[in-house]
Amino acid sequence: MTTDLKAQADQLRRLHHGPEMLVLPNVWDAASAEIVAGAGYPAVATASAAISAMLGYPDGEGAPWREMFAAAGRVARAVPVPVTVDAEAGYGLQPRELVDRLLEIGVVGCNLEDSDHRSGGLVDPGAQAERLAAIRAASEDAGVPIVINARTDGFLPRSGVAEPERVAEAVRRGRRYLEAGADCVYPIGVGDEHDIAALVTELPGPVNSNTRPGGPDLARLRELGVARVSYGPRFYRQALADLKTAVELLRP
């Protein structure tokens, strides 16, 4: 099993380096994962906000990690492609335990964010870099170099980072995270094309971005050099909106 997981981790890592941009329509259960994999996507990613909502909990580590990992495990068992899980801030798990739990459910990648869900704001970048380095070391020791997507949350209003400082702060944090062993940097919430271009230029590694109304589309993100695009809970919310419309049409 370790050999298979290592091959999947290596494959997922290669997908971050082209030649095609890695597009990940995030999933929340086995059925949605099968749809994405069946459509030909080379990897599957979960969305923590969607899974926690499906389970009846608020986002931001509001759901017990065991329930979140059980749901992610069902996703991984449902598809033949590499799976990366949104592990939020790591649920307070120690690095080796986090790695072991991810591998136990058949997952070979994870998002790890630098928001502090307990006190608000952002985790100290040095402390976050140390944690990422420890997770990298633990995964190497386990024989499966999991793909770490280091999310940095300075573009989110709750972060407390002033708007003029957000690009510089994302670059400062992203560089430290890449040096610590992260494979990709995810400055969530950035939508301005010039900011995205600056991040791609200044960060010495792959950058994860999003599409959003009024912002650059997939074609433009490719031109800007973005390596990975994810959608968070967007498709989960759209599915619920479609259900709401459908059931309302049934009422007399």
Side-chain angles (χ1 to χ4, degrees), residues 84-87 98 102 107-112 135 146-150:
T84 179
V85 64
D86 185 349
L98 175 63
L102 291 171
V107 165
V108 296
C110 65
N111 280 16
L112 288 167
I135 292 167
I146 63 172
V147 176
I148 300 173
N149 190 33

Side-chain angles (χ1 to χ4, degrees), residues 93-193:
L93 298 174
Q94 292 301 308
R96 185 55 194 257
E97 184 178 10
L98 175 63
V99 169
D100 286 348
R101 297 292 79 78
L102 291 171
L103 298 180
E104 185 176 77
I105 62 173
V107 165
V108 296
C110 65
N111 280 16
L112 288 167
E113 61 202 40
D114 58 8
S115 282
D116 187 332
H117 294 295
R118 291 160 183 80
S119 62
L122 301 181
V123 176
D124 175 79
Q128 183 73 352
E130 288 180 7
R131 179 165 170 76
L132 294 175
I135 292 167
R136 167 57 61 223
S139 75
E140 296 286 350
D141 185 62
V144 181
I146 63 172
V147 176
I148 300 173
N149 190 33
R151 200 182 97 174
T152 183
D153 293 358
F155 282 89
L156 301 180
R158 67 169 184 265
S159 70
V161 179
E163 188 169 346
E165 301 170 4
R166 288 175 179 172
V167 170
E169 183 65 10
V171 169
R172 182 172 77 96
R173 287 174 175 267
R175 285 177 174 172
R176 296 195 70 168
Y177 300 164
L178 290 168
E179 289 171 0
D183 296 282
C184 185
V185 176
Y186 180 15
I188 190 171
V190 58
D192 181 83
E193 185 173 311

Side-chain angles (χ1 to χ4, degrees), residues 1 19 21 24-25 32 55 59 79 81 84 96 98 105 113 118 121 129 132 165 178 181 193 196 210 229:
M1 181 177 178
M21 185 169 65
L24 297 169
S32 57
L55 295 172
D59 191 22
V79 296
V81 298
T84 179
R96 185 55 194 257
L98 175 63
I105 62 173
E113 61 202 40
R118 291 160 183 80
L132 294 175
E165 301 170 4
L178 290 168
E193 185 173 311
I196 295 169
N210 311 108
V229 175

